[in-house]
């Protein structure tokens, strides 16, 4: 666009700010000097759309700028690196996870939160690739605080509280990651049927897998398996801790 300078490459920009740039959540936001109506919130919304459409592998600052209709230089007034955009996008979608209104039944509150968490990760499958990062955004922390405080209300504390909270989080993240990978394949239904057929054809070799219906969507859908497992965690782990 007229008046814009050519944007530096993403590599050079990230080197200029250090290869291990401080987390976007651990520094003060510098007021933008851009004359555009572009905002960081608007950038994040478009980044989520780009990630939903093309995934992390295709996410670059240049493609994001093209999607918005600006140059990469314009983006850098608001965000320093692609990594910051990913952190912001991750936190943004976690705002879609509804925080239950505490009704006095901690089990239903925890269940509702984790069902919403899983749905959000399945709706935005790129999020599963980012869970190893330190997530310090307000939406993630608010929901983590809710989970901790709800479980603390059962009498859990210290390492038991941390361990059981992590157990729930890992259950959601692990199942969402596996389901997202499986469902993104164009031939997922066919592959599912072939996987079950292999178990069925070799029932003498894998009798327990056959009896339990491993890979058989007719016996239990992914939703049913997740919810049953979640209920087991609630009743058998928390209630006996």
């Amino acid at each position: 666009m007229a008046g814009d300078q050519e944007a530096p490459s993403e590599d050079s920009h990230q080197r200029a700010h250090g290869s291990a740039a401080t987390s976007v959540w651990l520094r003060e936001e510098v007021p933008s000097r851009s004359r555009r109506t572009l905002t960081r919130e608007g950038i994040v919304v478009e980044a989520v759309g780009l990630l939903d459409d093309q995934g992390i592998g295709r996410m670059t600052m240049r493609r994001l700028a093209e999607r918005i209709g600006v140059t990469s230089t314009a983006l850098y007034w608001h965000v320093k690196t692609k990594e910051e955009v990913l952190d912001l996008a991750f936190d943004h979608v976690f705002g879609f996870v509804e925080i239950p209104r505490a009704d006095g039944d901690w089990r239903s509150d925890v269940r509702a939160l984790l069902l919403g968490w899983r749905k959000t990760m399945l709706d935005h499958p790129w999020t599963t690739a980012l869970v190893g990062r330190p997530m310090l955004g307000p939406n993630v922390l608010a929901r983590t605080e809710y989970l901790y405080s709800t479980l603390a209300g059962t009498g859990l504390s210290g390492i038991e509280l941390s361990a059981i909270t992590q157990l729930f989080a890992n259950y959601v993240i692990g199942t969402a990651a596996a389901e997202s990978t499986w469902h993104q394949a164009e031939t997922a239904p066919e592959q599912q049927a072939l996987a079950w057929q292999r178990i069925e054809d070799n029932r003498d070799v894998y009798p327990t897998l056959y009896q339990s219906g491993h890979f058989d969507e007719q016996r239990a859908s992914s939703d049913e398996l997740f919810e049953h497992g979640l209920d087991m965690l609630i009743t058998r782990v928390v209630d006996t801790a």
Side-chain angles (χ1 to χ4, degrees):
M1 291 189 176
D4 286 329
Q5 295 181 346
E6 179 62 24
S9 70
E10 291 187 40
D11 288 343
S12 64
H13 187 85
Q14 298 209 26
R15 283 196 298 272
H17 290 89
S19 59
T22 302
S23 168
V24 64
W25 305 116
L26 297 178
R27 63 175 176 79
E28 293 185 11
E29 183 178 358
V30 178
S32 170
R33 291 178 288 168
S34 173
R35 296 179 181 178
R36 303 183 186 282
T37 57
L38 189 64
T39 65
R40 190 166 80 170
E41 181 180 359
I43 292 171
V44 172
V45 170
E46 292 297 336
V48 169
L50 180 59
L51 288 162
D52 287 345
D53 291 343
Q54 301 190 31
I56 288 180
R58 297 277 296 168
M59 167 69 182
T60 67
M61 296 294 275
R62 190 175 297 278
R63 286 195 179 98
L64 178 57
E66 290 173 353
R67 182 183 179 96
I68 298 172
V70 298
T71 65
S72 298
T73 302
L75 295 184
Y76 290 129
W77 286 116
H78 303 272
V79 288
K80 291 182 180 295
T81 64
K82 169 186 170 180
E83 299 306 306
E84 285 196 1
V85 173
L86 293 176
D87 286 343
L88 290 163
F90 186 96
D91 193 70
H92 179 80
V93 299
F94 260 70
F96 303 148
V97 180
E98 185 175 351
I99 297 180
R101 296 177 60 182
D103 60 7
D105 181 358
W106 69 266
R107 294 172 184 81
S108 63
D109 293 339
V110 167
R111 195 176 193 275
L113 180 75
L114 298 183
L115 286 173
W117 183 352
R118 169 178 173 265
K119 181 180 184 304
T120 293
M121 296 195 81
L122 292 178
D123 288 345
H124 308 278
W126 50 270
T127 58
T128 62
L130 299 176
V131 293
R133 303 156 70 94
M135 294 300 173
L136 301 172
N139 289 324
V140 171
L141 289 182
R143 284 143 185 82
T144 304
E145 170 66 23
Y146 180 88
L147 182 57
Y148 263 85
S149 63
T150 303
L151 291 173
T154 69
L156 290 169
S157 62
I159 192 170
E160 279 193 341
L161 174 60
S162 296
I164 289 178
T165 303
Q166 186 177 60
L167 187 64
F168 278 118
N170 288 343
Y171 177 63
V172 175
I173 293 166
T175 54
E179 290 179 56
S180 294
T181 301
W182 182 267
H183 293 160
Q184 284 181 70
E186 292 183 2
T187 58
E190 292 85 348
Q191 292 297 314
Q192 181 91 23
L194 289 172
W196 166 242
Q197 188 64 54
R198 177 175 174 79
I199 298 298
E200 189 174 32
D201 290 345
N202 293 275
R203 67 187 73 179
D204 293 338
V205 181
Y206 311 113
T208 309
L209 295 183
Y210 174 72
Q211 291 296 331
S212 64
H214 189 52
F215 287 127
D216 186 5
E217 280 277 334
Q218 299 302 314
R219 296 202 200 183
S221 66
S222 297
D223 291 341
E224 290 171 329
L225 283 174
F226 178 83
E227 292 188 42
H228 189 71
L230 179 56
D231 291 338
M232 290 177 64
L233 283 175
I234 290 173
T235 58
R236 298 190 184 186
V237 176
V238 180
D239 286 353
T240 59

